[in-house]
């Protein structure tokens, strides 16, 4: 069947289509109803069906793939290497589940995972799934304040963490960050389970902190059966930045997610049991959830868990891993490839990458020069794909498991099955024609695997995602796009105040709040600015309470800029640090007091700032122009 017909059937008859896809996973009890969308925009898939993510990722493979590789762990930061078969992974997951159960963790309880890229992090996620607990993974680079806000929202019974991670040879001690987060959080967890890697000292809190190695010894042979869950029970929450300072807990189900991932592994990634899948992302992001942990394992593939960067020990490390584990499918980000593009091209040919069938790239727009360079260098298809934390799997790409559709440079592709994608005019809500700019939107019901709601806040879910397009209840991606005459989509950038730095989504509001917490700052504005390497970087403009006292000299200005950056580092983590902090005496605002961020962004990118007649004081924009040298 051709892709267009396949897609059309999924939209015209979603119950028949997804009822067929449900056969790709194991069910303990069959569903009574494929789709319930009686309370739009809320959607329930495979109603009444009972299944379990851990069973589908691990247990069901024991009959045929027990001795086949399930997990390859490599750390170029510490020199560690470890491979586990499905049988060995099963044993470790059951042990982790036994530890959690011994601490009172059960169905519906929340477990927060704050860990580096180590096998125990995967064990923890799968153990939660096994018990019916809800995991909430927080990226290990996040600072205490960000971590505390997630603790307060999730209210976990248990936190699983480690002594430290490492990045580019720099040790990042997790325990002090975690202790500070718990101190400032309003809802402290009952217990903290610590994995000691021997990288940093651990100061234990008596009665609260537990030692993983010690408890593992106590549960070497403890059996923990799978907890069968109704398809629409919650599997996990994952926090993503919004346009306000409060992070959104994207809530995902069990059955719909398992079916969506199994289908994507078949139709999009074309992965087969016994092969190896390598995603160079992090488990703290949605790509890590879907395509490091659950997707490859559900497909019976070995997944490569990599702690390191694309450049250590050299710029050939990613391809060396492809060669070592005979990787057939690889997933990375355009930023990583742009970093490699600056290195000696000989690294691309030093290793045998003949096992690789395709390289998938996502996280931010893929520019044509980078796509061409890596495609020609590897001699393999490079497939862009576009999706979000909220959707859990690709919205736009090509599905070679359905039809060998050609890719098109600059475009992530066409709508995937299940997604009724439209381009809508932001003011009228009407569909725009080919080559006309519109908001990328999806007509409900959202397909399986997409978010159910925002954790603990159904009202915010509806208000955030389904009310921004006039006169229509459609899901807004908050991205601009156009569609060419052949149906290929091109993503043009955000319609809101979320920026994309090297695949990491950051809310400008969070960064602004952090900068404004510095005692010298009166107010500030942060915009995302196009960057050749990272896609976007954050650029800050700050108004000081007393400019003469704060920055009397250029040396003082530089010192204050450094102080503000360190403030952001401490509160939000290095990933949120602005590339520059420019000091101005007033921010460009409309007469109604709204900061004109799009005009600021335009000047930073050397573009026309547009109509400025609504500005309260045009000289404010001149200050921005002068600051950035536009």
């Amino acid at each position: 069947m051709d892709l267009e017909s396949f897609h059309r059937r999924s939209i015209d008859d979603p119950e028949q289509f997804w009822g067929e896809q449900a056969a790709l996973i194991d069910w303990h009890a069959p569903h009574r109803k494929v789709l319930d969308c009686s309370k739009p925009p809320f959607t329930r898939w495979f109603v009444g069906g009972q299944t379990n993510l851990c069973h589908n990722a691990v247990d069901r493979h024991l009959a045929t793939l027990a001795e086949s590789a399930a997990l390859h762990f490599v750390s170029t930061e510490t020199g560690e290497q470890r491979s586990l078969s499905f049988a060995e992974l099963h044993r470790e997951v059951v042990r982790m589940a036994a530890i959690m159960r011994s601490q009172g963790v059960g169905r519906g309880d929340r477990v927060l995972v704050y860990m580096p890229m180590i096998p125990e992090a995967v064990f923890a996620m799968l153990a939660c799934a096994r018990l019916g607990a809800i995991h909430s993974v927080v990226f290990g680079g996040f600072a205490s304040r960000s971590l505390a806000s997630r603790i307060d929202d999730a209210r976990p019974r248990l936190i699983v963490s480690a002594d430290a991670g490492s990045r580019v040879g720099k040790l990042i001690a997790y325990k002090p960050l975690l202790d500070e987060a718990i101190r400032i959080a309003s809802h402290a967890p009952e217990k903290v389970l610590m994995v000691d890697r021997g990288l940093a000292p651990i100061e234990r809190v008596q009665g609260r902190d537990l030692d993983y190695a010690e408890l593992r010894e106590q549960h070497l042979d403890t059996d923990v059966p799978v907890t069968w869950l109704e398809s629409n029970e919650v599997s996990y929450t994952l926090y993503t930045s919004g346009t306000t300072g409060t992070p959104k807990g994207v809530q995902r189900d069990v059955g719909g997610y398992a079916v969506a991932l199994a289908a994507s592994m078949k139709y999009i990634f074309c992965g087969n049991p016994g092969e190896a899948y390598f995603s160079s992302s992090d488990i703290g992001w949605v790509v890590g959830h879907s395509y490091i942990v659950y997707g490859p394992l559900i497909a019976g593939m070995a997944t490569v868990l990599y702690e390191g960067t694309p450049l250590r020990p050299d710029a050939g490390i990613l391809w060396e891993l492809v060669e070592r584990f005979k990787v057939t499918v690889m997933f990375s980000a355009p930023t990583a490839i742009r970093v490699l593009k600056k290195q000696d091209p000989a690294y691309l040919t030093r290793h045998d990458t003949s096992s690789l069938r395709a390289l998938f790239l996502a996280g931010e727009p893929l520019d044509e020069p980078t796509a061409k360079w890596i495609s020609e260098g590897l001699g393999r298809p490079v497939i862009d794909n576009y999706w979000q934390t909220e959707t859990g799997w690709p919205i736009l790409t090509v599905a070679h498991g359905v039809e060998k559709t050609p890719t098109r440079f600059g475009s992530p592709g066409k709508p995937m099955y299940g997604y009724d994608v439209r381009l809508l005019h932001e003011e009228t809500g009407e569909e725009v024609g080919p080559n006309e700019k519109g908001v990328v939107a999806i007509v409900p019901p959202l397909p399986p695997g997409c978010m159910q709601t925002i954790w603990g806040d159904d009202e915010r879910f509806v208000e955030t995602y389904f009310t921004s397009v006039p006169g229509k209840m459609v899901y807004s991606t908050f991205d601009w796009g156009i569609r060419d005459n052949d149906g290929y989509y091109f993503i043009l950038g955000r319609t809101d105040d979320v920026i994309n730095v090297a695949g990491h989504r950051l809310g400008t509001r969070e960064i602004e709040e952090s900068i404004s917490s510095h005692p010298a700052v009166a107010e500030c504005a942060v915009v995302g600015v196009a960057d050749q390497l990272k896609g976007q970087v954050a650029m800050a403009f700050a108004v000081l309470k007393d400019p003469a006292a704060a920055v009397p000299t250029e040396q003082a200005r530089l010192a204050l800029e450094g102080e503000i950056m360190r403030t952001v580092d401490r509160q939000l983590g290095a990933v949120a640090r602005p590339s520059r902090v420019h000091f101005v005496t007033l921010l460009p605002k409309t007469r109604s007091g709204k900061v004109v961020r799009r005009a600021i962004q335009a000047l930073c990118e050397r573009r026309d700032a547009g109509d400025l007649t609504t500005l309260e004081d045009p000289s404010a924009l001149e200050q921005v122009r002068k600051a950035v040298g536009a």
Side-chain angles (χ1 to χ4, degrees):
M1 182 179 289
D2 64 275
L3 181 59
E4 188 174 338
S5 301
F6 193 74
H7 178 264
R8 192 71 258 157
R9 192 162 71 86
S10 75
I11 302 304
D12 292 343
D13 192 357
E15 294 201 46
Q16 177 71 26
F17 179 88
W18 287 108
E20 293 169 7
Q21 308 314 318
L24 293 172
I25 69 164
D26 279 1
W27 294 88
H28 180 65
H31 56 261
R32 297 190 308 272
K33 187 178 176 68
V34 173
L35 169 63
D36 176 5
C37 52
S38 58
K39 296 179 180 177
F42 299 96
T43 305
R44 301 172 73 223
W45 287 98
F46 312 113
V47 180
Q50 292 181 7
T51 188
N52 183 283
L53 276 169
C54 181
H55 169 84
N56 278 286
V58 183
D59 297 58
R60 72 167 176 158
H61 301 306
L62 297 180
T64 55
L65 295 168
E67 302 311 314
S68 182
L71 178 69
H72 297 298
F73 167 59
V74 174
S75 173
T76 52
E77 298 288 333
T78 64
E80 295 172 90
Q81 297 183 46
R82 184 181 180 190
S83 289
L84 291 89
S85 66
F86 273 99
E88 290 166 331
L89 177 61
H90 176 262
R91 283 195 290 272
E92 293 299 340
V93 169
V94 170
R95 287 163 184 160
M96 180 69 84
I99 293 170
M100 290 182 178
R101 189 176 64 177
S102 74
Q103 301 307 313
V105 174
R107 187 177 194 153
D109 289 326
R110 274 82 66 203
V111 175
L112 191 139
V113 179
Y114 182 65
M115 299 185 80
M117 291 285 284
I118 56 176
E120 289 80 5
V122 178
F123 304 162
M125 293 170 71
L126 290 167
C128 287
R130 189 173 198 84
L131 292 168
I134 300 166
H135 64 66
S136 185
V137 182
V138 177
F139 178 64
F142 273 20
S144 298
R145 197 173 85 167
S146 294
L147 180 56
S149 70
R150 286 149 175 80
I151 291 172
D152 281 341
D153 196 66
R155 302 190 182 189
R157 177 175 285 246
L158 174 73
I159 293 180
V160 186
S161 191
D163 59 336
S166 180
R167 178 102 180 145
V168 200
K170 181 184 177 184
L171 198 69
I172 303 166
Y174 284 17
K175 188 58 163 55
L177 294 170
L178 177 58
D179 285 343
E180 174 63 11
I182 293 173
R183 186 189 69 78
I184 61 179
S186 302
H187 300 278
E190 296 171 18
K191 300 290 181 180
V192 173
L193 179 63
M194 293 299 301
V195 175
D196 188 354
R197 306 178 71 190
L199 298 179
I202 298 177
E203 289 190 23
R204 300 191 186 278
V205 175
Q206 196 67 30
R208 188 196 73 185
D209 294 351
L210 308 166
D211 182 71
Y212 168 72
E214 184 180 303
L215 289 175
R216 180 181 174 278
E217 285 298 311
Q218 296 175 21
H219 294 282
L220 287 177
D221 300 310
T222 306
D223 184 39
V224 179
V226 162
T227 299
W228 298 107
L229 304 173
E230 198 277 332
S231 178
N232 293 279
E233 290 187 62
V234 184
S235 61
Y236 68 78
T237 62
L238 181 59
Y239 289 91
T240 183
S241 293
T243 55
T244 68
T246 309
K248 303 189 297 283
V250 168
Q251 177 181 310
R252 192 147 276 131
D253 69 0
V254 177
Y257 187 51
V259 171
L261 292 183
S264 74
M265 294 302 296
K266 178 180 180 179
Y267 300 122
I268 298 173
F269 298 101
C270 305
N272 301 306
E275 296 178 345
Y277 190 108
F278 176 25
S279 171
S280 65
S281 183
D282 188 285
I283 57 165
W285 311 124
V286 71
V287 173
H289 283 56
S290 293
Y291 298 113
I292 293 178
V293 181
Y294 291 113
L297 293 176
I298 286 172
M301 301 179 77
T303 185
V304 179
L305 185 73
Y306 175 54
E307 181 184 44
T309 71
L311 298 178
R312 280 169 62 96
D314 59 47
I317 181 59
L318 299 185
W319 318 121
E320 194 274 322
L321 293 173
V322 169
E323 177 181 35
R324 191 190 313 182
F325 300 120
K326 294 183 171 52
V327 171
T328 56
V329 185
M330 185 174 171
F331 196 138
S332 192
T335 296
I337 305 305
R338 283 193 283 266
V339 166
L340 295 177
K341 191 180 170 193
K342 296 186 172 190
Q343 312 302 312
D344 186 343
Y347 283 113
L348 274 175
T349 55
R350 281 186 190 172
H351 300 283
D352 181 4
T353 57
S354 60
S355 62
L356 196 63
R357 287 196 297 269
L359 170 65
F360 291 81
L361 297 174
E364 76 252 27
L366 173 62
D367 58 284
E368 186 171 335
T370 299
K372 279 185 173 178
W373 177 80
I374 191 62
S375 178
E376 291 168 1
L378 286 176
R380 292 291 182 276
V382 172
I383 301 173
D384 195 2
N385 58 119
Y386 162 79
W387 48 296
Q388 302 176 317
T389 301
E390 290 87 345
T391 67
W393 60 284
I395 301 170
L396 302 170
T397 185
V398 294
H400 284 172
V402 179
E403 179 189 17
K404 294 287 184 183
T405 312
T407 57
R408 188 160 292 183
F409 284 125
S411 167
K414 298 182 176 185
M416 286 297 94
Y417 49 91
Y419 290 104
D420 188 355
V421 181
R422 309 288 177 91
L423 285 175
L424 304 178
H425 192 282
E426 68 168 329
E427 293 178 358
T428 66
E430 297 302 311
E431 277 198 72
V432 300
N435 302 306
E436 292 182 31
K437 177 180 169 182
V439 177
V440 181
I442 302 166
V443 177
L446 297 181
C450 290
M451 69 188 299
Q452 296 173 293
T453 186
I454 291 174
W455 172 256
D457 201 338
D458 288 349
E459 189 177 326
R460 188 181 180 197
F461 169 66
V462 177
E463 179 67 28
T464 300
Y465 295 103
F466 291 91
T467 63
S468 63
V469 177
K472 285 188 170 65
M473 182 179 271
V474 293
Y475 171 91
S476 175
T477 64
F478 299 103
D479 278 311
W480 296 111
I482 59 170
R483 182 183 62 251
D484 69 13
N485 294 322
D486 299 318
Y488 285 85
Y489 282 69
F490 296 78
I491 303 301
L492 305 177
R494 297 290 291 183
T495 66
D496 64 3
D497 293 325
V498 173
I499 61 176
N500 196 324
V501 181
H504 303 165
R505 285 175 64 186
L506 303 171
T508 55
R509 175 72 177 275
E510 284 184 278
I511 304 172
E512 287 172 356
E513 287 180 0
S514 179
I515 292 172
S516 295
S517 72
H518 190 284
V521 176
E523 61 175 338
C524 73
V526 173
V527 298
V529 178
D531 180 81
Q532 283 193 335
L533 181 61
K534 297 182 177 181
Q536 280 185 305
V537 294
M539 189 83 75
F541 295 85
V543 176
L544 301 176
K545 292 175 182 175
D546 186 351
V551 287
T553 64
E554 177 65 13
Q555 187 176 0
R557 188 198 64 76
L558 290 171
L560 182 58
E561 183 178 15
E563 265 184 46
I564 291 171
M565 287 183 173
R566 286 189 291 276
T567 298
V568 177
D569 275 5
R570 283 194 306 273
Q571 295 182 357
L572 302 179
V575 69
R577 182 196 305 142
S579 63
R580 287 296 310 273
V581 180
H582 296 289
F583 299 113
V584 293
T585 59
L586 69 166
L587 296 174
K589 295 179 182 179
T590 63
R591 295 184 186 95
S592 61
K594 184 179 180 181
V595 176
V596 288
R597 287 178 175 81
R598 287 188 189 179
I600 297 173
Q601 181 188 51
L603 288 180
C604 292
E605 295 178 347
R606 306 297 194 271
R607 293 186 285 107
D608 182 4
D611 181 14
L612 306 178
T613 57
T614 61
L615 283 185
E616 183 180 28
D617 187 341
S619 70
L621 209 58
E622 284 305 310
Q623 287 192 45
V624 170
R625 193 191 305 274
K626 185 177 179 182
V628 299

